[in-house]
Amino acid sequence: MIMKSIVELLKNTFLFNGVDEKEIKSILKRYQYSIAHHNPNDIIRFRGDHINEIYVILEGFLVTEMLNNSGEIAKLERLETGEVLATAFIFGNHRQMPMDVLAKEEVTLFILDKENLVELLTENKIIMNNFIADISNRTQYFTKQIWDNFNNKTIAEKLNYYIKLQKNNTNVITLSNSVKELAEKFQVTRPSLSRIISKYIKNNILEKIGRNKYKILSQNYFQ
């Protein structure tokens, strides 16, 4: 990949947000980095792998997964183009990947090792602030996720909260995830979630009008 393409892609990433093109070019000349390409379903890192670098997603997207004690796969996070992987894991006493990382489509990664990263953060305050903001955002995200998943909400309560967030003025919601993916997000079984949705349809709370698309018949139910 030629430098011009890398610069254009880096400009649109979270880590390099606010850094001008001239400075990015200078950084690429002064710091050692690597570019990695992965195919769909490639496992980029396994849980337990030692981490000594960060990964900036230039193209494509990744998902992080973890195998729970019952043998089921829990999907933790989806990382889109422009986001950074491993900012929270590269420092600390135990620099290990806590989950598996998979490519879900063709992915291009910009990789910077810890030594070069530390020098870059020391030199560039914009990138340093972006890096710290990324760690902070992820901490807040996972704290909220833990709270939402483990505060004893029933399946119906989790579904109600999800629908409340998806509502629009036309009273039509589209489940952006399939029932299977939504069940994984809620960390419940697919049949259990399907039963709740079927019950809502039977009780005229929801009406199915298309693939993963529902009309809200009872607005008060999702206040």
Side-chain angles (χ1 to χ4, degrees), residues 186-200:
F186 291 166
Q187 296 188 0
V188 300
T189 64
R190 179 180 177 179
S192 297
L193 179 58
S194 294
R195 280 195 294 270
I196 297 296
I197 294 175
S198 296
K199 180 180 177 181
Y200 282 7

Side-chain angles (χ1 to χ4, degrees), residues 151-169:
N151 67 348
N152 296 319
K153 282 186 179 179
T154 65
I155 299 174
E157 287 171 336
K158 291 180 180 181
L159 179 61
N160 291 355
Y161 180 73
Y162 180 86
I163 291 175
K164 183 178 178 179
L165 294 179
Q166 300 295 319
K167 282 200 310 179
N168 56 45
N169 294 330

Side-chain angles (χ1 to χ4, degrees), residues 1-3 6-7 10 24-25 27-35 58 109-113 116:
M1 182 177 289
I2 61 174
M3 182 178 290
I6 299 174
V7 171
L10 283 175
I24 295 176
K25 288 180 180 178
I27 289 170
L28 294 178
K29 290 177 180 178
R30 290 182 286 113
Y31 290 92
Q32 292 184 348
Y33 64 91
S34 60
I35 301 292
L58 299 181
L109 301 173
F110 174 88
I111 304 172
L112 195 66
D113 67 28
N116 282 280

